[in-house]
Amino acid sequence: MLARLHVVISSEQDKDYQQVKKKLLDINPDFSISPNRPYQPIKDHSEFYITVDLKPEEVQPLLDQLNNDWDGEMDDCDCYGFNTKMFDELVYCLEFTYFND
């Protein structure tokens, strides 16, 4: 089923986006990653989206690799880097949605 990950990083620099993107592709080379763009709600932050097809049993292991403390249900959850351990220190927040219909 399709999964979507919204990623916000604490930088608008392309080199930082590329660093985070590389780490994400190391986690799952099947990620389809959009270009980044400025994140309007917070100055000097950028955002991008990831889509990937996942089996239900692949969701929790992926979430565990990305962050150590998600809020919400496994199919609709988020986390913030200021109070959790992200896979990269530049990541401000992640929002994960799993469309299991």
XYZ file of all heavy atoms in Angstrom:
844
model
N 0.826 -1.179 0.000
C 0.000 0.000 0.000
C 0.875 1.249 0.000
O 2.019 1.215 0.416
C -0.906 0.014 1.224
C -1.894 -1.110 1.251
S -2.920 -0.994 -0.192
C -4.285 -1.952 0.278
N 0.293 2.340 -0.403
C 1.020 3.591 -0.522
C 1.233 4.237 0.845
O 0.323 4.290 1.669
C 0.254 4.560 -1.424
C 0.931 5.898 -1.677
C 2.202 5.706 -2.498
C -0.022 6.838 -2.401
N 2.439 4.740 1.046
C 2.770 5.512 2.242
C 3.316 6.857 1.791
O 3.973 6.959 0.748
C 3.798 4.785 3.090
N 3.028 7.884 2.597
C 3.545 9.226 2.313
C 4.229 9.748 3.572
O 3.712 9.611 4.679
C 2.414 10.163 1.913
C 2.923 11.584 1.595
C 1.802 12.536 1.288
N 1.001 12.709 2.498
C -0.318 12.882 2.495
N -0.992 12.895 1.379
N -0.969 13.037 3.633
N 5.375 10.349 3.363
C 6.134 10.946 4.458
C 6.396 12.401 4.117
O 6.952 12.708 3.053
C 7.450 10.194 4.657
C 8.335 10.624 5.816
C 7.651 10.334 7.157
C 9.671 9.901 5.746
N 5.965 13.295 4.995
C 6.232 14.728 4.854
C 7.427 15.024 5.743
O 7.405 14.728 6.942
C 5.005 15.529 5.283
C 5.191 17.003 5.212
N 4.644 17.842 6.148
C 5.845 17.801 4.334
C 4.958 19.092 5.845
N 5.684 19.092 4.755
N 8.476 15.611 5.166
C 9.721 15.878 5.884
C 9.971 17.378 5.897
O 9.926 18.027 4.849
C 10.915 15.165 5.201
C 12.204 15.414 5.973
C 10.644 13.684 5.029
N 10.229 17.929 7.080
C 10.612 19.329 7.224
C 12.008 19.349 7.834
O 12.244 18.712 8.866
C 9.622 20.105 8.118
C 10.075 21.557 8.290
C 8.219 20.046 7.542
N 12.921 20.070 7.173
C 14.282 20.166 7.693
C 14.607 21.614 8.060
O 14.023 22.549 7.513
C 15.337 19.596 6.712
C 15.373 20.375 5.397
C 15.083 18.122 6.472
C 16.523 19.967 4.480
N 15.559 21.768 8.960
C 15.937 23.083 9.499
C 16.987 23.748 8.623
O 18.040 24.174 9.107
C 16.470 22.933 10.919
O 15.508 22.335 11.733
N 16.706 23.831 7.333
C 17.627 24.458 6.391
C 16.925 24.631 5.051
O 16.040 23.849 4.707
C 18.871 23.586 6.195
O 19.700 24.120 5.182
N 17.349 25.643 4.300
C 16.896 25.802 2.925
C 18.030 25.537 1.945
O 17.862 25.697 0.744
C 16.325 27.207 2.706
C 14.997 27.429 3.373
C 14.384 28.785 3.035
O 15.034 29.609 2.351
O 13.245 29.017 3.462
N 19.196 25.128 2.441
C 20.351 24.903 1.579
C 20.244 23.550 0.874
O 19.910 22.534 1.494
C 21.639 24.961 2.388
C 21.896 26.334 2.977
C 23.225 26.400 3.687
O 24.090 25.541 3.518
N 23.399 27.428 4.495
N 20.568 23.560 -0.417
C 20.472 22.343 -1.214
C 21.388 21.238 -0.686
O 21.022 20.068 -0.681
C 20.766 22.620 -2.685
C 20.474 21.412 -3.551
O 19.302 20.959 -3.558
O 21.412 20.898 -4.194
N 22.569 21.594 -0.215
C 23.498 20.570 0.296
C 22.894 19.828 1.487
O 23.099 18.622 1.647
C 24.859 21.167 0.646
C 24.867 22.067 1.859
C 26.278 22.512 2.211
C 26.296 23.367 3.445
N 25.921 22.680 4.664
N 22.139 20.529 2.314
C 21.503 19.893 3.466
C 20.362 18.985 3.025
O 20.204 17.877 3.539
C 21.000 20.952 4.448
C 22.143 21.710 5.104
O 23.246 21.137 5.244
O 21.929 22.875 5.479
N 19.587 19.449 2.060
C 18.529 18.605 1.483
C 19.139 17.336 0.896
O 18.640 16.232 1.130
C 17.759 19.397 0.421
C 16.949 18.549 -0.514
C 15.796 17.900 -0.085
C 17.322 18.398 -1.845
C 15.040 17.117 -0.947
C 16.580 17.628 -2.712
C 15.435 16.987 -2.268
O 14.701 16.212 -3.128
N 20.239 17.479 0.162
C 20.883 16.316 -0.459
C 21.409 15.335 0.595
O 21.337 14.122 0.427
C 22.025 16.753 -1.392
C 21.559 17.532 -2.604
C 20.637 16.751 -3.518
O 20.693 15.527 -3.599
N 19.766 17.454 -4.216
N 21.922 15.872 1.710
C 22.411 15.029 2.808
C 21.278 14.191 3.391
O 21.414 12.974 3.584
C 23.023 15.904 3.904
C 23.317 15.179 5.200
C 23.702 16.140 6.313
O 24.550 16.996 6.120
N 23.074 15.990 7.474
N 20.150 14.830 3.679
C 19.000 14.127 4.246
C 18.433 13.145 3.227
O 18.111 11.999 3.557
C 17.928 15.128 4.724
C 16.662 14.411 5.169
C 18.477 15.990 5.854
N 18.348 13.561 1.990
C 17.842 12.689 0.919
C 18.695 11.426 0.796
O 18.167 10.316 0.670
C 17.830 13.464 -0.401
C 17.311 12.674 -1.575
C 17.298 13.536 -2.831
C 16.929 12.720 -4.046
N 16.900 13.543 -5.266
N 20.020 11.575 0.843
C 20.909 10.410 0.755
C 20.652 9.442 1.905
O 20.576 8.230 1.705
C 22.373 10.853 0.748
C 23.331 9.676 0.628
C 24.771 10.093 0.745
C 25.735 8.947 0.653
N 25.378 7.696 1.252
N 20.523 9.976 3.119
C 20.252 9.103 4.266
C 18.924 8.372 4.107
O 18.803 7.198 4.452
C 20.277 9.895 5.568
C 21.668 10.285 6.000
C 21.660 10.967 7.344
C 23.067 11.333 7.770
N 23.082 12.013 9.063
N 17.927 9.073 3.592
C 16.624 8.432 3.368
C 16.718 7.321 2.331
O 16.139 6.249 2.506
C 15.598 9.481 2.951
C 15.114 10.378 4.074
C 14.463 11.633 3.516
C 14.162 9.614 4.979
N 17.460 7.557 1.259
C 17.614 6.526 0.230
C 18.449 5.354 0.733
O 18.267 4.228 0.269
C 18.207 7.127 -1.043
C 17.248 8.059 -1.799
C 17.982 8.778 -2.933
C 16.043 7.291 -2.320
N 19.337 5.605 1.687
C 20.063 4.506 2.330
C 19.105 3.655 3.156
O 19.266 2.438 3.245
C 21.192 5.031 3.219
C 22.365 5.588 2.426
O 22.465 5.330 1.208
O 23.182 6.314 3.033
N 18.121 4.286 3.776
C 17.120 3.561 4.564
C 16.216 2.747 3.652
O 15.921 1.591 3.921
C 16.301 4.543 5.429
C 17.190 5.115 6.537
C 15.064 3.870 6.019
C 16.563 6.255 7.308
N 15.774 3.370 2.550
C 14.914 2.654 1.598
C 15.151 3.214 0.198
O 14.680 4.306 -0.125
C 13.438 2.791 1.976
C 12.544 1.913 1.129
O 12.836 1.630 -0.031
N 11.451 1.469 1.705
N 15.864 2.474 -0.660
C 16.160 2.961 -2.010
C 14.924 3.084 -2.910
O 15.001 3.686 -3.978
C 17.149 1.939 -2.563
C 17.037 0.753 -1.689
C 16.497 1.198 -0.373
N 13.785 2.558 -2.467
C 12.555 2.658 -3.255
C 11.793 3.952 -3.002
O 10.760 4.191 -3.631
C 11.635 1.469 -2.957
C 12.227 0.158 -3.445
O 12.984 0.170 -4.430
O 11.928 -0.880 -2.821
N 12.282 4.794 -2.092
C 11.617 6.068 -1.837
C 11.593 6.918 -3.107
O 12.615 7.066 -3.784
C 12.349 6.864 -0.755
C 12.084 6.434 0.654
C 12.956 6.818 1.654
C 10.981 5.684 1.005
C 12.737 6.465 2.976
C 10.743 5.317 2.325
C 11.623 5.709 3.306
N 10.447 7.485 -3.398
C 10.318 8.502 -4.440
C 10.269 9.841 -3.705
O 9.322 10.109 -2.955
C 9.036 8.272 -5.240
O 8.872 9.297 -6.185
N 11.293 10.666 -3.904
C 11.467 11.886 -3.112
C 11.270 13.113 -3.994
O 11.924 13.252 -5.028
C 12.857 11.909 -2.444
C 13.038 10.653 -1.575
C 13.052 13.182 -1.637
C 14.410 10.510 -0.953
N 10.396 13.988 -3.564
C 10.122 15.213 -4.320
C 11.261 16.213 -4.137
O 12.039 16.113 -3.182
C 8.808 15.842 -3.844
O 8.992 16.465 -2.580
N 11.335 17.203 -5.018
C 12.269 18.307 -4.766
C 11.852 19.048 -3.495
O 10.685 18.995 -3.093
C 12.087 19.213 -5.989
C 11.468 18.348 -7.036
C 10.645 17.335 -6.291
N 12.800 19.721 -2.887
C 12.462 20.492 -1.686
C 11.995 21.881 -2.071
O 12.249 22.361 -3.175
C 13.637 20.543 -0.709
C 14.819 21.306 -1.253
O 15.105 21.270 -2.445
N 15.542 21.985 -0.387
N 11.303 22.527 -1.142
C 10.839 23.896 -1.331
C 10.830 24.563 0.043
O 10.794 23.889 1.072
C 9.454 23.936 -1.966
C 8.380 23.339 -1.086
C 7.049 23.338 -1.763
N 6.038 22.792 -0.847
C 4.834 22.449 -1.215
N 4.464 22.562 -2.461
N 3.989 21.977 -0.337
N 10.847 25.898 0.074
C 10.796 26.582 1.377
C 9.525 26.184 2.133
O 8.456 26.046 1.547
C 10.769 28.063 1.004
C 11.427 28.117 -0.337
C 11.016 26.843 -1.034
N 9.673 26.018 3.435
C 8.550 25.691 4.307
C 8.017 27.004 4.860
O 8.650 27.626 5.724
C 9.031 24.749 5.408
C 7.956 24.268 6.345
C 6.869 23.548 5.883
C 8.049 24.512 7.706
C 5.892 23.088 6.753
C 7.085 24.057 8.587
C 6.005 23.343 8.094
O 5.027 22.877 8.955
N 6.887 27.428 4.361
C 6.362 28.760 4.662
C 6.111 29.037 6.147
O 6.353 30.157 6.599
C 5.084 29.017 3.857
C 5.325 29.063 2.358
C 6.353 30.099 1.945
O 6.357 31.211 2.448
N 7.246 29.730 1.038
N 5.637 28.087 6.948
C 5.361 28.413 8.352
C 6.589 28.779 9.194
O 6.459 29.456 10.207
C 4.711 27.145 8.903
C 4.126 26.468 7.707
C 5.082 26.770 6.593
N 7.788 28.306 8.779
C 8.985 28.566 9.593
C 10.118 29.043 8.691
O 10.499 28.361 7.738
C 9.437 27.303 10.364
C 8.305 26.754 11.222
C 10.653 27.629 11.230
C 8.644 25.445 11.908
N 10.673 30.192 9.012
C 11.774 30.776 8.245
C 12.993 29.839 8.258
O 13.286 29.203 9.268
C 12.141 32.137 8.836
C 13.188 32.869 8.056
C 13.492 34.212 8.665
C 14.580 34.847 7.834
N 14.987 36.120 8.265
N 13.695 29.795 7.143
C 14.931 29.009 6.989
C 14.719 27.509 7.155
O 15.628 26.792 7.586
C 16.019 29.500 7.948
C 16.409 30.943 7.681
O 16.412 31.359 6.503
O 16.712 31.665 8.653
N 13.541 27.029 6.846
C 13.239 25.592 6.835
C 12.742 25.230 5.439
O 12.245 26.085 4.708
C 12.157 25.251 7.861
C 12.641 25.230 9.269
N 13.217 26.326 9.873
C 12.636 24.250 10.195
C 13.545 26.009 11.114
N 13.197 24.755 11.342
N 12.871 23.976 5.071
C 12.340 23.513 3.794
C 11.596 22.202 4.014
O 11.739 21.550 5.049
C 13.445 23.364 2.746
O 14.434 22.455 3.158
N 10.802 21.844 3.010
C 9.988 20.644 3.111
C 10.048 19.867 1.807
O 10.325 20.424 0.745
C 8.537 21.000 3.430
C 7.823 21.717 2.314
C 6.373 22.041 2.616
O 5.769 21.422 3.515
O 5.836 22.936 1.929
N 9.776 18.569 1.920
C 9.622 17.716 0.751
C 8.803 16.504 1.150
O 8.533 16.279 2.333
C 10.977 17.326 0.149
C 11.914 16.624 1.082
C 11.975 15.241 1.134
C 12.755 17.352 1.914
C 12.854 14.594 1.992
C 13.646 16.712 2.769
C 13.686 15.326 2.806
N 8.380 15.758 0.151
C 7.529 14.596 0.369
C 8.177 13.345 -0.193
O 8.951 13.412 -1.148
C 6.155 14.792 -0.285
C 5.311 15.814 0.418
C 5.405 17.164 0.101
C 4.425 15.435 1.423
C 4.630 18.105 0.753
C 3.652 16.367 2.082
C 3.760 17.697 1.742
O 2.998 18.620 2.395
N 7.819 12.236 0.413
C 8.278 10.923 -0.043
C 7.048 10.049 -0.208
O 6.144 10.081 0.629
C 9.208 10.277 1.002
C 10.470 11.113 1.171
C 9.542 8.840 0.634
C 11.296 10.721 2.352
N 7.031 9.266 -1.257
C 6.020 8.224 -1.394
C 6.747 6.899 -1.606
O 7.846 6.854 -2.163
C 5.044 8.479 -2.563
O 5.781 8.630 -3.767
C 4.199 9.711 -2.305
N 6.108 5.835 -1.144
C 6.688 4.503 -1.278
C 5.575 3.481 -1.070
O 4.634 3.722 -0.317
C 7.837 4.283 -0.258
C 7.351 4.329 1.175
C 8.621 3.011 -0.560
N 5.681 2.357 -1.756
C 4.761 1.246 -1.515
C 5.344 0.377 -0.414
O 6.510 -0.018 -0.483
C 4.575 0.409 -2.784
C 3.629 1.069 -3.768
O 2.622 1.633 -3.317
O 3.906 1.022 -4.976
N 4.539 0.100 0.604
C 4.972 -0.716 1.738
C 3.939 -1.783 2.045
O 2.736 -1.533 1.936
C 5.144 0.142 3.001
C 6.218 1.210 3.010
C 6.113 2.028 4.288
C 7.592 0.599 2.875
N 4.418 -2.931 2.467
C 3.531 -3.951 3.019
C 3.260 -3.582 4.474
O 4.084 -2.918 5.111
C 4.200 -5.321 2.939
C 4.457 -5.767 1.521
C 5.219 -7.061 1.501
C 5.517 -7.426 0.052
N 6.616 -8.355 -0.081
N 2.117 -4.006 5.019
C 1.812 -3.643 6.415
C 2.931 -3.991 7.400
O 3.215 -3.212 8.316
C 0.536 -4.432 6.717
C -0.117 -4.599 5.388
C 1.020 -4.749 4.393
N 3.592 -5.113 7.200
C 4.649 -5.518 8.130
C 5.935 -4.697 7.969
O 6.844 -4.794 8.800
C 4.948 -7.018 7.994
C 5.458 -7.445 6.648
C 4.372 -7.815 5.635
O 3.177 -7.530 5.855
O 4.741 -8.383 4.601
N 6.022 -3.875 6.934
C 7.202 -3.032 6.716
C 7.066 -1.651 7.366
O 8.052 -0.934 7.502
C 7.445 -2.843 5.212
C 7.809 -4.107 4.485
C 7.877 -3.918 2.975
O 7.003 -3.226 2.403
O 8.826 -4.476 2.380
N 5.856 -1.300 7.777
C 5.613 0.051 8.294
C 6.355 0.299 9.602
O 7.127 1.253 9.725
C 4.105 0.325 8.447
C 3.868 1.662 9.143
C 3.416 0.301 7.087
N 6.150 -0.523 10.609
C 6.771 -0.273 11.917
C 8.292 -0.299 11.859
O 8.938 0.585 12.447
C 6.247 -1.247 12.968
C 6.645 -0.851 14.385
C 6.113 0.522 14.777
O 4.909 0.770 14.705
N 6.993 1.429 15.194
N 8.921 -1.246 11.154
C 10.382 -1.187 11.056
C 10.889 0.112 10.414
O 11.910 0.654 10.836
C 10.739 -2.407 10.208
C 9.622 -3.365 10.442
C 8.401 -2.492 10.585
N 10.161 0.613 9.416
C 10.556 1.880 8.803
C 10.417 3.020 9.801
O 11.337 3.834 9.957
C 9.705 2.171 7.567
C 9.920 3.547 6.948
C 11.354 3.713 6.459
C 8.924 3.800 5.836
N 9.296 3.096 10.484
C 9.107 4.150 11.482
C 10.204 4.110 12.537
O 10.718 5.151 12.948
C 7.731 4.023 12.132
C 6.525 4.278 11.224
C 5.233 4.014 11.984
C 6.549 5.672 10.635
N 10.585 2.912 12.962
C 11.636 2.767 13.972
C 12.985 3.288 13.479
O 13.783 3.788 14.267
C 11.773 1.308 14.401
C 10.568 0.810 15.179
O 9.762 1.633 15.655
O 10.423 -0.432 15.285
N 13.244 3.167 12.181
C 14.500 3.676 11.616
C 14.510 5.199 11.523
O 15.570 5.816 11.626
C 14.738 3.104 10.217
C 15.210 1.674 10.202
C 15.536 1.259 8.791
O 14.639 0.971 8.010
N 16.813 1.246 8.475
N 13.352 5.781 11.314
C 13.272 7.229 11.112
C 13.269 8.020 12.417
O 13.832 9.114 12.478
C 12.010 7.570 10.308
C 11.961 7.019 8.887
C 10.591 7.273 8.277
C 13.063 7.615 8.028
N 12.646 7.483 13.454
C 12.514 8.209 14.712
C 12.206 7.234 15.843
O 11.635 6.172 15.608
C 11.391 9.249 14.597
C 11.278 10.112 15.833
O 10.578 9.762 16.769
N 11.974 11.227 15.837
N 12.536 7.631 17.058
C 12.335 6.730 18.195
C 11.043 6.963 18.978
O 10.758 6.244 19.920
C 13.528 6.834 19.160
C 13.572 8.164 19.895
O 13.141 9.191 19.383
N 14.113 8.149 21.092
N 10.244 7.983 18.606
C 9.051 8.274 19.409
C 7.997 8.993 18.575
O 7.987 10.221 18.486
C 9.433 9.126 20.618
C 8.291 9.298 21.594
O 7.357 8.476 21.589
O 8.323 10.279 22.363
N 7.100 8.242 17.976
C 6.038 8.794 17.136
C 4.782 9.042 17.970
O 4.484 8.286 18.892
C 5.705 7.814 16.014
C 6.797 7.676 15.005
C 7.887 6.855 15.068
C 6.907 8.383 13.775
N 8.663 7.008 13.955
C 8.084 7.940 13.143
C 6.131 9.342 13.141
C 8.499 8.426 11.899
C 6.549 9.821 11.909
C 7.718 9.364 11.300
N 4.030 10.073 17.598
C 2.730 10.362 18.211
C 1.639 9.976 17.223
O 1.706 10.351 16.049
C 2.592 11.848 18.544
C 3.485 12.265 19.688
O 3.700 11.447 20.603
O 3.967 13.412 19.662
N 0.649 9.244 17.691
C -0.460 8.847 16.844
C -0.406 7.366 16.507
O 0.468 6.631 16.961
N -1.355 6.957 15.705
C -1.431 5.569 15.266
C -0.406 5.314 14.165
O 0.019 6.236 13.467
C -2.843 5.263 14.743
C -3.920 5.426 15.788
C -3.751 4.490 16.971
O -3.409 3.308 16.750
O -3.947 4.932 18.099
N -0.058 4.062 13.967
C 0.973 3.692 13.003
C 0.654 4.182 11.587
O 1.552 4.490 10.817
C 1.147 2.171 13.007
C 2.256 1.675 12.126
S 2.496 -0.105 12.260
C 1.059 -0.707 11.383
N -0.632 4.281 11.228
C -0.980 4.696 9.868
C -1.146 6.202 9.705
O -1.328 6.696 8.598
C -2.240 3.970 9.386
C -3.461 4.294 10.241
O -3.296 4.829 11.348
O -4.575 4.004 9.784
N -1.044 6.962 10.797
C -1.162 8.424 10.732
C -0.481 8.999 11.968
O -1.110 9.156 13.016
C -2.637 8.841 10.668
C -2.814 10.324 10.425
O -1.850 10.984 9.981
O -3.906 10.830 10.699
N 0.799 9.319 11.846
C 1.557 9.742 13.021
C 2.558 10.833 12.654
O 2.838 11.074 11.482
C 2.252 8.546 13.656
S 3.256 7.564 12.538
N 3.104 11.472 13.666
C 4.112 12.501 13.449
C 5.099 12.506 14.607
O 4.882 11.876 15.644
C 3.480 13.882 13.261
C 2.615 14.323 14.433
O 2.890 13.926 15.568
O 1.663 15.081 14.198
N 6.200 13.226 14.401
C 7.218 13.363 15.440
C 8.011 14.634 15.170
O 8.064 15.123 14.046
C 8.127 12.142 15.488
S 8.926 11.769 13.919
N 8.611 15.152 16.227
C 9.390 16.388 16.155
C 10.786 16.144 16.710
O 10.948 15.487 17.735
C 8.693 17.509 16.936
C 7.439 17.968 16.233
C 6.235 17.294 16.430
C 7.478 19.029 15.348
C 5.084 17.690 15.761
C 6.337 19.433 14.675
C 5.145 18.755 14.878
O 4.020 19.141 14.205
N 11.774 16.708 16.039
C 13.165 16.486 16.400
C 13.625 17.148 17.669
O 14.657 16.779 18.214
N 12.885 18.119 18.180
C 13.348 18.803 19.390
C 13.167 17.954 20.642
O 13.752 18.237 21.667
C 12.683 20.175 19.562
C 11.180 20.141 19.622
C 10.519 19.852 20.788
C 10.442 20.406 18.478
C 9.133 19.821 20.832
C 9.061 20.392 18.514
C 8.398 20.090 19.696
N 12.365 16.888 20.566
C 12.183 16.050 21.762
C 12.303 14.556 21.470
O 11.935 13.745 22.298
C 10.842 16.356 22.430
C 9.659 16.038 21.541
O 9.815 15.741 20.373
N 8.471 16.106 22.100
N 12.818 14.209 20.284
C 12.998 12.801 19.915
C 14.303 12.638 19.152
O 14.965 13.618 18.805
C 11.837 12.311 19.017
O 11.856 13.042 17.793
C 10.490 12.476 19.706
N 14.658 11.398 18.850
C 15.887 11.123 18.098
C 15.530 10.810 16.655
O 14.965 9.764 16.353
C 16.645 9.961 18.730
C 17.956 9.656 18.039
C 18.763 8.661 18.827
C 20.026 8.189 18.169
N 20.633 8.976 17.160
N 15.867 11.736 15.760
C 15.634 11.576 14.328
C 16.805 10.847 13.679
O 17.898 10.798 14.229
C 15.487 12.936 13.643
C 14.267 13.709 14.036
S 12.811 13.013 13.256
C 11.607 14.241 13.712
N 16.577 10.348 12.472
C 17.636 9.697 11.710
C 18.696 10.697 11.246
O 19.805 10.316 10.898
C 17.052 8.950 10.499
C 16.499 9.857 9.441
C 17.284 10.234 8.373
C 15.214 10.353 9.537
C 16.785 11.088 7.397
C 14.698 11.197 8.576
C 15.494 11.575 7.505
N 18.374 11.984 11.242
C 19.332 13.046 10.890
C 19.016 14.273 11.743
O 17.846 14.620 11.913
C 19.226 13.389 9.397
C 20.291 14.367 8.959
O 20.121 15.586 9.219
O 21.290 13.940 8.367
N 20.041 14.936 12.217
C 19.850 16.075 13.120
C 19.193 17.283 12.449
O 18.662 18.157 13.144
C 21.178 16.503 13.736
C 22.191 17.004 12.729
C 23.553 17.284 13.341
O 23.856 16.737 14.401
O 24.294 18.059 12.725
N 19.191 17.364 11.126
C 18.543 18.473 10.432
C 17.024 18.337 10.349
O 16.333 19.304 10.038
C 19.098 18.609 9.006
C 20.495 19.193 8.886
C 20.994 19.077 7.449
C 20.503 20.643 9.342
N 16.506 17.159 10.614
C 15.070 16.939 10.471
C 14.331 17.600 11.633
O 14.564 17.292 12.791
C 14.735 15.441 10.388
C 13.229 15.244 10.277
C 15.433 14.805 9.189
N 13.439 18.518 11.281
C 12.628 19.221 12.277
C 11.391 18.398 12.638
O 11.076 18.233 13.809
C 12.228 20.594 11.739
C 11.277 21.332 12.632
C 11.725 21.930 13.799
C 9.922 21.419 12.320
C 10.847 22.601 14.638
C 9.038 22.085 13.151
C 9.508 22.671 14.304
O 8.638 23.329 15.137
N 10.685 17.907 11.616
C 9.522 17.059 11.895
C 9.244 16.115 10.733
O 9.672 16.341 9.602
C 8.285 17.875 12.248
S 7.484 18.687 10.866
N 8.537 15.042 11.066
C 8.084 14.039 10.096
C 6.609 13.806 10.321
O 6.153 13.732 11.464
C 8.824 12.710 10.311
C 10.330 12.696 10.117
C 10.894 11.338 10.562
C 10.694 12.963 8.670
N 5.878 13.660 9.235
C 4.472 13.277 9.297
C 4.289 12.077 8.365
O 4.587 12.173 7.172
C 3.569 14.431 8.847
C 3.673 15.643 9.739
C 2.916 16.843 9.183
O 2.476 16.808 8.028
O 2.803 17.827 9.926
N 3.823 10.969 8.901
C 3.704 9.731 8.142
C 2.235 9.338 7.999
O 1.487 9.371 8.976
C 4.455 8.606 8.861
C 4.383 7.287 8.165
C 5.230 6.993 7.113
C 3.456 6.328 8.553
C 5.164 5.772 6.465
C 3.380 5.110 7.912
C 4.237 4.826 6.857
N 1.852 8.973 6.776
C 0.503 8.485 6.508
C 0.606 7.211 5.682
O 1.328 7.172 4.684
C -0.326 9.536 5.735
O -0.305 10.761 6.432
C -1.768 9.061 5.566
N -0.118 6.181 6.118
C -0.151 4.902 5.414
C -1.580 4.663 4.949
O -2.500 4.584 5.770
C 0.307 3.777 6.339
C 0.422 2.431 5.683
C 1.304 2.215 4.643
C -0.349 1.355 6.120
C 1.421 0.975 4.038
C -0.231 0.110 5.529
C 0.650 -0.075 4.492
O 0.766 -1.298 3.908
N -1.749 4.604 3.649
C -3.075 4.436 3.058
C -3.340 2.955 2.870
O -3.032 2.374 1.839
C -3.163 5.177 1.721
C -2.822 6.645 1.844
C -1.549 7.114 1.560
C -3.790 7.545 2.269
C -1.250 8.469 1.679
C -3.489 8.901 2.394
C -2.217 9.357 2.102
N -3.914 2.305 3.864
C -4.096 0.855 3.839
C -5.490 0.423 3.412
O -5.960 -0.630 3.788
C -3.721 0.233 5.185
C -4.507 0.814 6.331
O -5.369 1.649 6.148
N -4.194 0.379 7.537
N -6.160 1.219 2.609
C -7.497 0.840 2.117
C -7.404 -0.033 0.894
O -6.612 0.093 0.061
C -8.302 2.096 1.769
C -8.621 2.908 3.027
O -8.728 2.311 4.105
O -8.750 4.116 2.890
